[in-house]
Amino acid sequence: HTVSMQLCDCKGTSLSLFQEIVPCFVLIIVVFFLVRPVVIPLNRLYKKFNPCIPTFILPKKFYIDYAIAPLFGVILLLAVGTIKLHDMAHGIIGDNRVQPFTIIILFFSLSYVCLSLDITGIFEYISIKAINASKGSGIIVFLSIFMLSTMLTILTSNDIVILTMTPIICGVSKFTGLDHRPLIYLQFFMANVWSAILFVGDPTNIIVATAFQFNFLEYSKWMTLPSILAGLSCLLLLWFKFRTLIPLQIKIPYQDPGLHLKDKLGAVYGSVCLVTCLLLLGSVPPIIPMWGISAMFAVLMFLKDLLYDFFPYYPVEKGSIDVVSFEDDQPP
C-alpha cells in the first residue's frame, strides 16, 4: 500500500508532510532565541548600505528575544500555510472549556496590581520588618524568608515573589555575610510550590482549572493540602541540605523599614485593592467571570498610577522618595 503524504487538520484541511514538520523546526528556532537572544547592530548596516540615512531617527539595535521570536514564529507558520488566520482567532478566543484571552487578562491584570503595589515599597517594608525581628539568629532569618516567600506567593504569584525577594535576599547576604545560596534556593522552591494553592498563582493553574471548569474555591480545595505537604517537605529538605551554611548567630545591621516604604498612601490603597480582589475571586458566583474582577482592580490601580503621573507633587510620607517631573531636571 502507498503511504499517503497528506495529513489533515482538525477541520479536514489537507496539510503536506512539509507543513507538518515545519512547526517542529520553528519551535526549536524560537526556543533557541529565547535561551540565547541575538542583537543585530542596525547602525552598522545603515552605514554599510546607505550612509546617507539619518540614523538618529532610526533604532540602533534590533533584539531577537523572548518578545520578538515567538511573533516571528507565528508569522513564519502563517507564511508556509501551517496555520491560518482562523486558527489564530480560535487560539485566542478558545472554546467552551478554555478561553485563552480570559487567562491572559486575568494573569496580567493581577500582575499589574502586584507590580504597582510593589513600587510603593510595601513588600520591602514587610521583608525588612521580618529580618529585623530575627535578632541575629540565622535560623530565624531562614524561617523568615520561608514565611515571607510563602505569604507573598499566596497573596500574589511566584513571578512577583522572585522579582521582589531576590534583591532583598542579596542585600541581606551582602550586609550580613550570610551565604546567599540557602535563601535563594528556599525562595525559588517556595515561590513555585506555594503558587499551586491559588487559582491565580501561576498561568498553568489558570489553564488547568479553566480546562476542568474549576472555580476559585474548587481549585484551592484540590490543591491546598498537596501544596502544604510539598512546601513543608521542601523546607525540611533544604534545611538538611544547607544546614552547615546557616550559622546560629549572624550580625544584621539595623535598617529602618520606613525608608523602604516610598508611598504609604499608595501602599494602603494597593493593599486594599489586592486583598479585595482575592476575596472577590474566591467568593463570587460562577456566573461572574474572574477575569472581569481582576481587570476591574487593574483599572483602579492604573487610575491611581495615572493620577500620580499627572500630579507628581503629592504629599510625601516619612521615609518616602520625592517624585519630581522631568521639567525640573534641566541641565545646567
Side-chain angles (χ1 to χ4, degrees):
H1 299 281
T2 303
V3 179
S4 174
M5 299 297 288
Q6 296 291 326
L7 301 174
C8 296
D9 64 4
C10 59
K11 292 190 175 183
T13 304
S14 179
L15 296 176
S16 66
L17 183 61
F18 170 77
Q19 292 174 320
E20 292 288 337
I21 296 177
V22 164
C24 298
F25 288 100
V26 172
L27 177 62
I28 294 174
I29 295 173
V30 169
V31 172
F32 172 80
F33 286 117
L34 294 179
V35 178
R36 297 291 299 272
V38 175
V39 181
I40 301 177
L42 296 180
N43 53 348
R44 297 180 183 178
L45 297 178
Y46 298 149
K47 296 178 181 179
K48 181 177 180 180
F49 293 102
N50 193 345
C52 298
I53 297 179
T55 56
F56 64 90
I57 62 174
L58 298 174
K60 296 181 179 180
K61 296 180 180 180
F62 183 76
Y63 296 88
I64 304 179
D65 53 11
Y66 61 88
I68 299 298
L71 180 61
F72 281 171
V74 173
I75 294 175
L76 182 58
L77 293 177
L78 283 171
V80 300
T82 301
I83 62 175
K84 306 296 182 183
L85 291 177
H86 64 79
D87 296 322
M88 292 183 59
H90 180 72
I92 296 175
I93 298 174
D95 51 26
N96 294 330
R97 297 188 64 187
V98 179
Q99 295 83 35
F101 80 94
T102 64
I103 298 172
I104 295 173
I105 294 175
L106 178 62
F107 183 76
F108 277 96
S109 58
L110 190 60
S111 296
Y112 179 81
V113 172
C114 297
L115 287 174
S116 181
L117 182 59
D118 181 38
I119 293 174
T120 66
I122 182 64
F123 295 143
E124 293 185 20
Y125 174 84
I126 296 173
S127 302
I128 298 301
K129 272 280 191 181
I131 292 171
N132 288 339
S134 66
K135 298 181 179 180
S137 172
I139 298 177
I140 295 180
V141 170
F142 185 81
L143 294 177
S144 297
I145 297 298
F146 165 75
M147 294 300 298
L148 281 170
S149 301
T150 299
M151 180 185 67
L152 294 178
T153 303
I154 293 176
L155 291 177
T156 59
S157 67
N158 51 8
D159 299 320
I160 303 299
V161 173
I162 292 172
L163 290 173
T164 303
M165 292 290 296
T166 300
I168 297 174
I169 291 175
C170 292
V172 171
S173 177
K174 177 181 178 181
F175 290 113
T176 63
L178 185 65
D179 195 314
H180 65 278
R181 288 176 294 175
L183 305 181
I184 289 292
Y185 275 105
L186 178 66
Q187 175 210 190
F188 288 160
F189 272 84
M190 294 304 107
N192 285 280
V193 170
W194 293 114
S195 64
I197 290 182
L198 289 187
F199 185 97
V200 294
D202 189 82
T204 306
N205 304 355
I206 304 174
I207 295 173
V208 173
T210 304
F212 287 95
Q213 299 180 348
F214 286 166
N215 61 28
F216 195 92
L217 291 179
E218 287 177 336
Y219 174 84
S220 295
K221 288 178 181 178
W222 279 98
M223 294 304 301
T224 298
L225 182 58
S227 298
I228 292 175
L229 294 177
L232 295 178
S233 299
C234 285
L235 174 65
L236 294 176
L237 291 174
L238 288 172
W239 169 256
F240 180 79
K241 171 69 176 178
F242 295 110
R243 65 188 187 279
T244 58
L245 301 178
I246 304 174
L248 295 178
Q249 290 293 325
I250 56 177
K251 185 178 180 180
I252 299 180
Y254 177 80
Q255 298 186 53
D256 185 2
L259 296 177
H260 296 268
L261 191 59
K262 307 176 183 67
D263 177 19
K264 185 177 180 180
L265 180 62
V268 174
Y269 178 87
S271 299
V272 171
C273 285
L274 177 60
V275 173
T276 307
C277 179
L278 293 176
L279 290 176
L280 288 178
L281 288 174
S283 59
V284 296
I287 192 174
I288 301 177
M290 287 188 291
W291 63 269
I293 296 173
S294 61
M296 177 183 66
F297 284 96
V299 171
L300 292 177
M301 292 295 290
F302 174 75
L303 292 177
K304 186 268 294 183
D305 296 337
L306 197 64
L307 181 65
Y308 277 16
D309 287 338
F310 279 101
F311 302 97
Y313 297 100
Y314 58 89
V316 179
E317 301 290 341
K318 179 182 177 181
S320 72
I321 297 177
D322 294 330
V323 179
V324 297
S325 64
F326 287 107
E327 296 177 357
D328 293 333
D329 191 15
Q330 299 294 338

